[in-house]
Structure formats: structure tokens, C-alpha cells
Amino acid sequence: MKTATILTRLQRRRGIPGARLKGMAQANPFQDPLRFERRVPSCAVVIFGANGDLTKRKLLPSLYRLAFERRLPQGFAVVGISRTAMSDDDFRKTLEASLKEFLENSPFDQALWDDFARGLFYLAGDVGDDAAYQRLAVRLDEIAKTRQTAGNVLFYLSTQPSHYGTAAGGLGRAGLAKAANGAWRRLVVEKPFGHDQASARELENQLHEHFTEDQLYRIDHYLGKETVQNILAFRFGNPLFEPLWNRQYINHIQITAAESIGVEGRGGYYQEAGALRDMIQNHLLQVLATVAMEPSAVFEATGVRDERAKLLRSIRTYKHSEVHQHTVAGQYGPARVGGKDLPGFRQEEGVDPQAMTDTYAAVTFQIENWRWAGVPFYVRTGKRMPKRVTDIAIRFNPVPHSLFMTEGEGGESIDTARPNMLILRIQPEEGISLRFSSKQPGAGMKLRPVSMDFNYGTSFGGRTPTAYETLLVDAMVGDATLYTRQDMVEASWTAVQPILEAWQEHKPEQFPNYPAGTWGPKESDEMLARNGHEWRIP
Amino acid sequence: MPALVEEIRAEKLLKDLASVWKELGQHETEYAVVRACALTLLVATTGDGDEQDLAGTLGDLMHSNPSRYVVLRLVDKPEPEFAARVFAQCQLAFGRRQQLCCEQIEFTATRDRIPDFYAVALGLTVADLPVLLWIRDAQLLMEPAFQALLPLARPLIIDSAQFPDALAGLKEMELRRDAGWRVKDLAWSRLTVWRETIAQMFETSACRNLVNRIDRVEIKGRFGPTGTDVQYLAAWLRRILPNAQITATGSGVQRIRLVAGGQRVEVADAGEALVATSLDGMVTRVPDPVRSDADLLAEELSILGPDPTYDATLRAVTRGIN
């Protein structure tokens, strides 16, 4: 009984599935999960696109930071693959330079780097060349012997999305998707998972040709953010809120992901993708699912992902004729902001001057289940907005009968009690605020909204692991809880595809339709106004 | 300075604190001031030569554990003394425009005023948040007069490395544990990097296969008499490897060697790093920067519930379950 209690507590603390935690204690008698970080098993990480931006900015700093925190095993290696001819030593030097440039909030320790760099290897090869995979197989065999990686390999596709299927096929044909002697092979795929429903299915077919679903780790770095994970802790660790978390008490929910920057040199990619594909289809629908899902019986990958998938499947699929009533596309135009002239999207480098790309997208999602029927979920995202902010605002219903009415200028009755609002702030200023009404001091009974704030920084100082650190460890440990599963990808596309198609068929006439530095097109305000709602200013 | 004996009330101190915050808010125009608090940390110390050290430790600790700090400094003076002051420490978080501020209430008292402090401290803990007592001078645990303060908090933090007689000190801690306190030891937290490095080494299959064959363990300390750190390590390893013969000498761990027949696994101190040599000859360098009291406290504050491994190890040391 006592052991069970402790395991449950540790499980909550580390977010480790129960079965795995019990296994940990049995397998290595020296483990102390309460104090030691989750251990990563001996393994090699093979990065396709090792010379790319993601590797330099995110993957390598995350792996180095994990080494700094002693979280990587003794038997650990990284094999980088890209087309550029380079020796192992050249690769190490390149990565050392980029690490020094991109390492944030962490010191660079030369001795530690030297030790870490001994486990870095490089292989020049083209993703489409089968011979490269044969060379990789030989190299991995050597590394397994010299670095004691036990034959475990995590393949990470940090390449152009169009290469995912080719790389998976190459690995499969070289026999690298399967391992002997109980070793594991896993494949991490970065978003986008297709550019529409058909291409997503095609990608899945290509991946599944050689890898089983439990070998696939589709990364959505939003789910690795501490604040997104905290939504589950907040909802299911606090009985105070969960009884209110339904259509009886919640009026509507607003999810905002605003960026103040433009396309920043990614114009070519972005004009093909657009805001709906780039943000809503993946990140924001995952956030929505986290906010709205049912609790799983246990906190482990299958249960949590089943609930997320179930929620995504409950999203109403709009008919073609309904799309324009429930969605708004926008594109920013030039504007002068803060004394500086900002270009419109069509003036950005690499962008077609006639581009019809959505740099702003707002969608009213409806979830067709008993908990959420009739509660609109307003989701918006955009570039060149007044500030960078991602948050979720849950607006509760007004009181059924107000005692605190006041008379307006025209003699009309105005309710001074404003509805409660709960804000989950993902970034920046991570935290949670609850807005409620309070009596203004003085004579009479006038109410004013006030805020009760929880700020991460005031309760948890310290450094927060980056999303990539969290997700890399999870993949190496084999915990897929924060990764996207195939049925979740499909359900997201099912919700988004009709919108894409309708937008494609009826291109907006007014692009650009919002000036840079504003909160988006007026049509977006009108979409909410039709339901008697309005966007809050984050 | 004349002896100060004045009436000190919790309400008055809290009012003074409110004034401090008001003043901070009024005078600070460039950066926002955020009053932060996640727990109450009571600190008991002695003498008057370590103010700066302690202020530095609490200042560092507030990064990870913003708290209300209530410090009791016990002084030896011929006349009774009991005085208090309140202030706030603020730090600008990296890259932020907000200052994180923690409040501190500092008492100076002669030992005969301990009951007075107890009465005031009861009104100073932050409601509904954890309360911990860090006995910064471990010797206080042995003082009869000090026992009156222990009911202020269930978790007690001590650094057993300060005990001149290691075993006697640990037994004293075990007595408190048996009486229901949650005892925490900074000497144990100092060993985390050693224990974790060993655990990491045994992740490799080559070492894992060795566990059941380990027949000898040597723990060598850098200095003279056997310290609590070496005793803890010996007890911890003895619980895991009941059939191994364990020799443990000195204090300030320098090397741990696990031997299985002719094969051995070793972790050794190498300045700012630990060097771990595993069975297969692979050498790993593990960063081991000097951990300040603030680092050690932060580790302990991250475990507010039971700590079964530590509890069992403390019990094993004191009861000689070897």
C-alpha cells in the first residue's frame, strides 16, 4: 500500500506512467526517481538535416543542455546526416560554433563540450540515395560497439517535409527501422504532417510502410511547453475548476496566438502554408484539445492521446456553405508602427506581390459532445499583430440574475457585474489569472473587475526546460504522451480541410485586409459579434 | 548598542511589511515590482558574523523558491534582547522587466526570548503554503531551549556535516523523524550528483549485469574521521548491495569503487567534475560545480512530501542495519 502511494506521487511529480516507473525501480537499483531526473537509455540520435537551422538552434542546444544536466547516458551518440561533405571533426567544430551562438540561459563548458563532442559523428549523404542508408547502418553498428548505445536509435527528420517519406523508405529498405536483441528504433517527424488531408494520408502511408505507429513520434513543440502541460495539471489536479468546465458554466473560449513579427525571411515557405495550416491545424487545435478533452483514467500516453483524439474528432466539420460564417482569413498590409514603416505581406522578401496567403486566421470551432455543445471556441492567430502573446481565455456565463444594476445615460439598466474570466497564459508572462468582480470602495454598490494572478515566475523561479528538451527526452525514454498520433493528425485535418477548400474556391477580395500592428480584420470582430461576443485584448 | 527588549507583535510586523511594499511600488518606476511567495522558510542561526553569507544564500534561493523568509538570529548577551526588522529583497529576472521581490523578517534574540519568538512566528507564516524550518546551525537541534521552536514546522532542514560527532547527530535527527518531523539533510543532497552518476553508469547493460556480482565497495573520503556523507553513502549502497563488503573511511567523498571479481566501476572527484569510469573502460566527465547552500536547499524544497530513499538510508545509518 505504501509503495503504491509513493509511486502515485512520483508519477504525478515526474509525469511518468506508472508501469514505467515501477519498471525503473526494478531495473536499476541505484535509481532515486524523486531526486534524479528521468533517465535516458543508452542510444544514438540520428539527425537528418544536421546542417540545418533547427539542428543548430534547437536540437543541439537541447541535447547539450541535457548533457549539462547529466541527463544523457554514458552510452550516447549523435550522428548527423546532410549532403555537405564533412569529417566528424569538421562537424564537431561547426556545431561548437553554432552552440556558442544559440545556447541560451546556459553556460558553455569547454570540458563538457569536449566530452559531449566525442559522441558526435557525421555522415555525408543524400536523403534519396539508398547507399547512404547502407553506410549509416555500418556506422551505427560501429557506434553501438564503441559508444555502447545498445543498438537503440532515434531517427530525427529535421529535413524538408517533402523528404519525410523518402527518408523513412530509405531507413526501412536498409533494415534500420527494425532492431534485434530488444533494441528500439524510433522516428521523430517535425510538422507539417502534410499540407492537406490527402497529402497527410499519403505521408502516413509512406511512414507506416516501414515503421509501426508506436515507433512514430510526431513532434508538435507546443505540447512540450510547460504552460501547455500545466493545463492538464490545472484542470485535473484541482477539483475546484473541473465541475465548472462545461457548457453549464462556460460561455465561450478564446484561444489567441499572436506574433508581432512578420514572416522574417520565411516568405517563400509561408506563402504556401498560411496561418491556418501553419498554426491552427496543428498547434492551436492541440491546445484546444488539451483545454477541452475529458480526463484520462491514468496519465500515460495511450490514455491521454485517446482523449485528445476523441475531442478532435468531436469538432464539427463545416459544410462548404457554412465556412464563411465561421471563419475569417486575413492578410496584413503595410503600416507605420511606432515611427517605423512596416511592409505588408506582399512586400516581404520572397513573397509573390499578388499572394493570397492568409497571415491571419480566425475560426469558430464547435465541439459536438455533451460537455461543450453550444460553446463556441474562437481560435485566432496572426502575424504582425500588436504584440506576441499566446493565451486561452475562458469566459464564464454571467450571473443568472444580477443584483448590481446601474442606470445608463439613456436610462437603460446596465449590469455592473462582469462575467468571470479565466486566462491561461502560455507565453509570455506564463501564468493564470482569474477575473472576478469586486465592490469599489466607497458609497454605493458599484462593481469593478479585478484580477487574481498566478505568475510562474513568482512561484517557480529557476530555469524551465525548453519544449525540445522535454520532447527529446520523452522520445528517447519512449513516452509519447506529448506527441501527436496519426488519428489526431487526421481529425485535425478533417476539421480544417473544408475551410482550406472554401478559402481556395472563394478567394478574399479585400487582401490585404488589416494593417500591420493591429488585431486583425474587422470581419473577425463581426464573426464574434454575430454571437454577441467580442475579442478580448490580450 | 543598548540591549533591546520591546514588544513585538506579528500584526505590527505585517503592517511594516505592507509599508515596505507600498514604498517599493511608489519609488520604482522603471521596473514592475512583483511580490512573490511560494512558502515560508524559517531560518534559525547563531552568532553575528554571517549576515552577508545568509543574505546571499536567501537571495540566491529566491530565484527558484520565492518565499517569506523569517530569520531568527540567536545571540549570546548578558542582557535579554529581542528585536526585529522587516525588509524586501528584489532581483531583476534575466531578460525581464519585472523585479521579483521576497520579504524578509529578521529577529535578533537571546535564548531566553525563544518563547517570545515562537509566539510571534506563529502569526508570521504565510497561510496555506508550506512552512519549513532550516536549522542553519545544526548544534541548535541539541539545545533544550531550542526544542520549543520545532513545532513551528514539520519539515526540518539540517546540515549534518556540521555535527562534530556524525553518528550522534544523525541519531538526533532520526529521533525527530520518529517523532513525526520530516527531516531533510543538506549533507544528503550534496551526494545527489555522486548517486546519480553511479545510477547512470548502471544504465549500460555491461554494468547492469554486474550488480549481482558486486562483492566489494570502497568509499574513500578526503579528510580524517568518517563523516555523515560517507556514512550515508555506505548505508545507501549497503541497502542496494546487501552481499557486498563495504569499507568507508573519511569525510568529503573522493572516490567510490564498486568491485565485482576482477572488474570494477569507479567514480572519482576530479576538481570541478566527477570522472566516472565504467566496466568497459569508457570514461565520462560529469560536471560537478560546487553546490551552494541555496542549491542544496532548492533541491530539498523540491521534495516537500516523503523521501523514502533518504528516510530508509537515515534509518539504516542510525540503527546500524548494515
Side-chain angles (χ1 to χ4, degrees):
Chain A
M1 185 66 188
K2 191 176 177 188
T3 309
T5 310
I6 291 164
L7 284 173
T8 310
R9 192 176 300 110
L10 300 185
Q11 189 177 327
R12 278 200 298 271
R13 187 180 145 71
R14 297 286 185 206
I16 307 170
R20 181 170 299 133
L21 190 61
K22 285 173 193 166
M24 277 170 65
Q26 284 161 7
N28 184 343
F30 298 97
Q31 279 297 334
D32 183 355
L34 206 53
R35 285 175 190 263
F36 305 167
E37 293 290 351
R38 266 200 299 179
R39 61 196 162 84
V40 172
S42 300
C43 65
V45 177
V46 176
I47 302 174
F48 288 85
N51 230 356
D53 230 29
L54 181 71
T55 304
K56 290 174 180 171
R57 286 176 184 271
K58 301 288 182 193
L59 301 183
L60 181 75
S62 299
L63 289 170
Y64 172 84
R65 180 71 205 188
L66 292 171
F68 183 82
E69 291 182 350
R70 307 188 304 274
R71 298 192 62 187
L72 295 183
Q74 227 185 355
F76 182 75
V78 176
V79 183
I81 300 182
S82 72
R83 279 184 295 188
T84 317
M86 222 185 320
S87 69
D88 288 344
D89 278 341
D90 290 341
F91 181 55
R92 289 165 187 155
K93 281 177 195 152
T94 307
L95 291 191
E96 182 178 348
S98 67
L99 182 66
K100 285 175 179 168
E101 185 180 351
F102 296 117
L103 191 61
E104 288 174 357
N105 298 332
S106 292
F108 178 82
D109 179 327
Q110 188 65 50
L112 174 68
W113 168 257
D114 292 343
D115 190 51
F116 179 76
R118 276 195 284 277
L120 298 179
F121 304 92
Y122 184 78
L123 191 70
D126 191 288
V127 177
D129 177 13
D130 273 1
Y133 298 92
Q134 297 297 340
R135 293 201 302 278
L136 175 62
V138 173
R139 200 79 201 266
L140 284 172
D141 277 346
E142 290 167 10
I143 289 168
K145 288 178 191 131
T146 57
R147 298 288 301 176
Q148 299 281 327
T149 58
N152 298 321
V153 185
L154 181 75
F155 299 104
Y156 199 113
L157 301 186
S158 172
T159 62
Q160 296 276 355
S162 55
H163 292 158
Y164 291 168
T166 314
L171 291 168
R173 285 190 295 278
L176 286 166
K178 305 273 179 292
N181 304 323
W184 50 260
R185 299 291 158 97
R186 296 179 190 134
L187 181 67
V188 180
V189 186
E190 276 277 341
K191 69 131 192 162
F193 314 120
H195 54 85
D196 57 18
Q197 196 157 37
S199 59
R201 283 185 183 144
E202 190 186 329
L203 173 64
E204 288 316 312
N205 291 337
Q206 290 171 333
L207 296 176
H208 280 141
E209 200 175 323
H210 299 286
F211 290 88
T212 57
E213 182 59 27
D214 62 1
Q215 288 180 286
L216 292 172
Y217 287 68
R218 295 174 196 80
I219 198 165
D220 184 330
H221 74 271
Y222 252 63
L223 290 180
K225 287 177 184 289
E226 286 284 332
T227 39
V228 174
Q229 294 180 60
N230 191 42
I231 296 171
L232 293 179
F234 180 78
R235 285 191 58 200
F236 303 131
N238 297 289
L240 177 64
F241 295 100
E242 194 51 30
L244 311 179
W245 216 259
N246 56 54
R247 62 191 302 276
Q248 302 292 335
Y249 296 96
I250 292 179
N251 186 273
H252 69 272
I253 291 178
Q254 298 184 14
I255 300 177
T256 301
E259 291 179 82
S260 57
I261 57 171
V263 290
E264 305 293 302
R266 291 168 69 229
Y269 158 76
Y270 197 84
Q271 75 173 354
E272 299 304 320
L276 184 65
R277 279 194 184 93
D278 193 47
M279 289 293 291
I280 294 182
Q281 185 274 330
N282 38 69
H283 301 322
L284 299 186
L285 280 181
Q286 290 298 332
V287 170
L288 183 152
T290 308
V291 170
M293 65 187 254
E294 297 297 319
S296 63
V298 286
F299 188 71
E300 52 83 43
T302 305
V304 172
R305 298 200 299 176
D306 281 351
E307 294 303 336
R308 273 208 182 98
K310 203 165 78 185
L311 188 285
L312 290 168
R313 283 196 299 271
S314 306
I315 294 175
R316 181 173 169 196
T317 308
Y318 288 127
K319 290 178 194 149
H320 194 283
S321 57
E322 295 174 321
V323 167
H324 287 281
Q325 191 187 344
H326 299 295
T327 69
V328 174
Q331 187 188 88
Y332 63 86
R336 189 168 178 82
V337 178
K340 190 181 168 194
D341 287 321
L342 297 176
F345 177 67
R346 291 173 174 176
Q347 288 78 49
E348 299 273 13
E349 194 186 333
V351 173
D352 177 352
Q354 302 300 318
M356 296 303 292
T357 309
D358 50 303
T359 62
Y360 175 95
V363 181
T364 305
F365 287 108
Q366 295 173 39
I367 297 171
E368 298 186 314
N369 64 21
W370 277 39
R371 188 192 278 259
W372 295 115
V375 177
F377 282 69
Y378 301 115
V379 178
R380 64 175 161 173
T381 182
K383 289 195 174 288
R384 284 268 189 250
M385 310 210 79
K387 64 177 176 184
R388 170 181 166 261
V389 60
T390 302
D391 66 18
I392 301 149
I394 293 133
R395 216 194 88 158
F396 291 86
N397 283 324
V399 292
H401 170 69
S402 180
L403 308 178
F404 309 109
M405 306 298 279
T406 188
E407 204 168 282
E409 282 178 14
E412 74 278 17
S413 291
I414 299 171
D415 187 356
T416 60
R418 301 279 300 279
N420 294 124
M421 180 99 82
L422 181 71
I423 318 289
L424 308 173
R425 296 190 304 274
I426 307 295
Q427 61 186 17
E429 303 300 333
E430 297 84 349
I432 298 171
S433 300
L434 180 65
R435 188 183 75 180
F436 61 99
S437 295
S438 173
K439 180 188 175 298
Q440 280 194 49
M445 182 58 85
K446 287 182 187 162
L447 271 58
R448 204 178 75 178
V450 292
S451 181
M452 199 153 64
D453 283 330
F454 155 69
N455 185 317
Y456 259 82
T458 62
S459 289
F460 308 102
R463 180 186 175 277
T464 304
T466 65
Y468 275 94
E469 284 170 43
T470 303
L471 293 168
L472 277 167
V473 168
D474 283 357
M476 291 188 278
V477 165
D479 181 354
T481 310
L482 301 178
Y483 282 85
T484 310
R485 207 170 53 190
Q486 167 58 12
D487 53 347
M488 295 153 79
V489 174
E490 278 196 21
S492 301
W493 276 120
T494 301
V496 164
Q497 185 68 28
I499 305 172
L500 283 173
E501 286 170 4
W503 286 4
Q504 184 66 27
E505 278 181 39
H506 304 284
K507 295 195 186 290
E509 293 163 9
Q510 299 292 327
F511 270 11
N513 58 355
Y514 71 99
T518 65
W519 284 109
K522 65 175 178 12
E523 290 83 354
S524 185
D525 297 328
E526 289 164 5
M527 180 177 80
L528 269 68
R530 286 196 286 274
N531 293 337
H533 300 146
E534 60 181 21
W535 286 113
R536 55 181 278 277
I537 306 289
Chain B
M1 190 174 162
L4 292 169
V5 181
E6 56 187 56
E7 189 198 5
I8 295 174
R9 289 180 297 115
E11 291 86 351
K12 167 77 168 55
L13 292 169
L14 294 174
K15 208 171 168 185
D16 290 348
L17 269 180
S19 303
V20 168
W21 287 111
K22 200 172 169 186
E23 207 169 302
L24 267 173
Q26 280 170 348
H27 289 103
E28 184 55 70
T29 51
E30 193 177 357
Y31 298 108
V33 171
V34 179
R35 183 180 189 176
C37 186
L39 52 90
T40 302
L41 182 64
L42 306 165
V43 185
T45 188
T46 54
D48 51 8
D50 67 343
E51 285 93 339
Q52 274 197 327
D53 270 3
L54 181 57
T57 298
L58 297 181
D60 290 344
L61 185 64
M62 69 180 261
H63 282 294
S64 56
N65 289 275
S67 312
R68 175 179 289 174
Y69 300 117
V70 180
V71 177
L72 168 65
R73 183 174 298 285
L74 288 168
V75 291
D76 294 317
K77 290 194 175 167
E79 296 298 317
E81 180 175 326
F82 189 43
R85 64 180 185 125
V86 301
F87 57 98
Q89 281 204 64
C90 295
Q91 289 185 353
L92 190 62
F94 180 79
R96 299 288 177 101
R97 294 189 65 79
Q98 271 184 347
Q99 290 187 90
L100 202 64
C101 299
C102 292
E103 54 205 23
Q104 190 164 324
I105 308 166
E106 197 168 287
F107 292 84
T108 306
T110 43
R111 279 172 168 73
D112 58 320
R113 306 306 299 266
I114 284 178
D116 294 328
F117 171 78
Y118 176 78
V120 179
L122 279 177
L124 292 178
T125 55
V126 182
D128 307 316
L129 290 176
V131 182
L132 294 95
L133 172 57
W134 175 26
I135 305 173
R136 190 161 184 262
D137 180 345
Q139 294 301 323
L140 286 171
L141 189 66
M142 316 287 199
E143 288 190 20
F146 189 77
Q147 305 308 308
L149 293 187
L150 297 186
L152 282 172
R154 299 315 282 173
L156 303 177
I157 306 174
I158 297 158
D159 185 354
S160 69
Q162 296 173 357
F163 291 125
D165 180 341
L167 194 56
L170 293 178
K171 280 185 174 166
E172 201 65 37
M173 289 165 64
E174 171 70 351
L175 280 176
R176 299 299 177 286
R177 203 193 68 82
D178 285 346
W181 272 274
R182 199 160 284 157
V183 178
K184 296 167 166 293
D185 190 350
L186 302 187
W188 175 250
S189 4
R190 269 185 212 102
L191 298 173
T192 298
V193 65
W194 287 89
R195 297 193 305 120
E196 194 169 18
T197 304
I198 292 172
Q200 284 280 13
M201 295 172 80
F202 280 87
E203 283 304 305
T204 60
S205 53
C207 287
R208 186 87 58 82
N209 296 334
L210 204 68
V211 172
N212 293 331
R213 293 193 288 120
I214 293 173
D215 51 18
R216 193 154 50 88
V217 176
E218 297 165 19
I219 305 165
K220 188 168 176 267
R222 194 180 298 281
F223 312 108
T226 307
T228 53
D229 53 352
V230 168
Q231 296 207 36
Y232 273 141
L233 271 180
W236 176 62
L237 288 168
R238 193 163 284 129
R239 291 185 61 246
I240 297 167
L241 307 166
N243 299 321
Q245 184 193 354
I246 297 182
T247 54
T249 55
S251 65
V253 185
Q254 189 176 22
R255 191 190 67 209
I256 303 169
R257 182 179 286 165
L258 299 103
V259 184
Q263 299 172 302
R264 73 182 187 196
V265 174
E266 189 171 295
V267 183
D269 184 8
E272 289 185 354
L274 296 185
V275 171
T277 312
S278 71
L279 184 62
D280 45 51
M282 188 186 292
V283 176
T284 304
R285 182 184 177 280
V286 181
D288 180 25
V290 176
R291 297 182 77 201
S292 65
D293 278 356
D295 298 327
L296 302 173
L297 284 165
E299 181 176 324
E300 292 304 331
L301 294 182
S302 74
I303 306 169
L304 292 177
D307 184 354
T309 305
Y310 171 68
D311 288 347
T313 306
L314 176 62
R315 196 179 311 122
V317 174
T318 55
R319 298 182 188 176
I321 303 168
N322 294 334

